[in-house]
Amino acid sequence: MAVMTSRSSCPCGLPEPYAKCCGRFHRGEAAAPTAEALMRSRYAAFVQRDEKYLLRTWHPRTRPSSVDFDPGMRWTGLEILATSDGSAFHSTGTVTFRASYRGGTLHERSRFERVDGAWVYVDGDFAE
């Protein structure tokens, strides 16, 4: 079941306040240490509509020129379903997740790689 966030917790679903959780990644004060942490921070960036962070954490070979946000989209929760590799000891990793929004869900298996030591999103496959 998707984790619904409260006003006091980060949009990524973890209990820490946004400023101490994904906000520090968005502000550039720290880098996500794992593929899952990057996935969570990117979800929070979609919630916050932080295009700069999303583009910065997208692999250069697959990065679009811009991010088009749907003004009617309201993200409501994130559930991490599975992870493979993606730790400090890996150069690649995958995260399967379900992101809920008002009116539906997005289910994806995302691929991540390290570029110059930092985790970046490469691409993903939508699941049924």
Side-chain angles (χ1 to χ4, degrees):
M1 177 167 238
V3 175
M4 301 304 285
T5 59
S6 71
R7 291 192 187 273
S8 63
S9 63
C10 187
C12 80
L14 296 178
E16 293 87 321
Y18 167 76
K20 290 183 179 181
C21 192
C22 293
R24 63 195 171 108
F25 303 139
H26 295 174
R27 293 187 305 272
E29 297 169 0
T34 65
E36 179 180 336
L38 182 66
M39 167 55 249
R40 288 181 176 280
S41 70
R42 286 177 56 82
Y43 170 82
F46 273 103
V47 171
Q48 300 289 329
R49 297 188 177 161
D50 186 343
E51 179 182 36
K52 187 176 178 181
Y53 180 77
L54 290 167
L55 293 175
R56 187 172 76 237
T57 59
W58 215 307
H59 197 289
R61 75 172 182 263
T62 58
R63 179 187 308 136
S65 59
S66 64
V67 178
D68 295 322
F69 296 104
D70 178 345
M73 179 69 75
R74 297 293 177 258
W75 296 102
T76 59
L78 176 67
E79 180 183 11
I80 302 298
L81 303 173
T83 61
S84 176
D85 298 333
S87 77
F89 303 105
H90 300 107
S91 58
T92 63
T94 61
V95 179
T96 303
F97 68 92
R98 184 176 297 117
S100 300
Y101 57 89
R102 198 174 301 152
T105 60
L106 171 79
H107 186 184
E108 181 178 310
R109 181 176 183 265
S110 297
R111 284 178 285 282
F112 298 87
E113 291 180 13
R114 283 186 185 268
V115 173
D116 297 328
W119 285 107
V120 292
Y121 170 79
V122 177
D123 60 17
D125 297 317
F126 294 111
E128 293 295 321

